Amino acid sequence: DGVLILTNSANIILPNSLNIQTAANDIAELVSEGGGVWRLMRYQRYSDTWTTYSPTLTGWSVVPTGFTARYILNGKTCMVSFRSTGSGTSNATSITMTLPFVAAAVDFSSYPYCLDNNVLCYGGGLTTAGSNVINILKNGGASWTASGNKRISGIIIYEIQ
């Protein structure tokens, strides 16, 4: 009926070791692994509630200002929305971002907007099965410049384990 926190532990194994804040009428499917250990197999929110999370970004000496990321689950489908209000500074030719859950399969996603050294470009991202990290690509896989201002914004939709 109310809000509680499913806490990842040795006895309750949650995807990507993330705690989940529940809401009334959400559905959780757990499977017993024996010995008092349960694994979350599926979690579905009753309403379209977005959850904010803090991804780890690599390839930045200064993370873009106002960077926010949030996700919503529908069964085993996870949609991630991320954006920044300002640019950051890059120190590498590749950029990665952690996802809130481990991917079930190789997935490629498109981003509507990215900026590399103050030049507008198109982007994309690639993750692999068993990983919760997405490589953020620019212009079909070209290397990012290792200096200057960078910005990424977009939506990722992928299947979770």
Side-chain angles (χ1 to χ4, degrees), residues 7 14 16 21 26 40 44-45 52 56 81 83 90 92 100 127-130 139 143 150 154-155:
T7 303
L14 301 176
N16 204 30
Q21 182 173 327
D26 287 359
L40 181 68
Q44 184 171 347
R45 296 198 180 275
T52 300
T56 299
S81 171
R83 66 182 290 271
S90 177
T127 188
T128 57
N139 295 342
S143 294
K150 306 285 185 287
I155 295 174

Side-chain angles (χ1 to χ4, degrees), residues 123-136:
L126 183 66
T127 188
T128 57
S131 175
N132 75 319
V133 175
I134 190 162
N135 294 307
I136 298 175

Side-chain angles (χ1 to χ4, degrees), residues 19-96:
N19 298 337
I20 297 174
Q21 182 173 327
T22 68
N25 300 312
D26 287 359
I27 299 169
E29 181 180 323
L30 293 102
V31 174
S32 173
E33 294 191 343
V37 176
W38 293 83
R39 180 177 299 271
L40 181 68
M41 301 304 292
R42 181 176 73 94
Y43 188 83
Q44 184 171 347
R45 296 198 180 275
Y46 175 73
S47 65
D48 293 336
T49 303
W50 286 86
T51 302
T52 300
Y53 82 106
S54 299
T56 299
L57 298 168
T58 64
W60 304 90
S61 52
V62 177
V63 173
T65 57
F67 190 84
T68 58
R70 57 193 188 134
Y71 70 89
I72 190 167
L73 285 177
N74 183 359
K76 287 195 165 202
T77 301
C78 182
M79 181 176 5
V80 176
S81 171
F82 59 97
R83 66 182 290 271
S84 59
T85 57
S87 296
T89 307
S90 177
N91 62 357
T93 57
S94 64
I95 295 173
T96 67

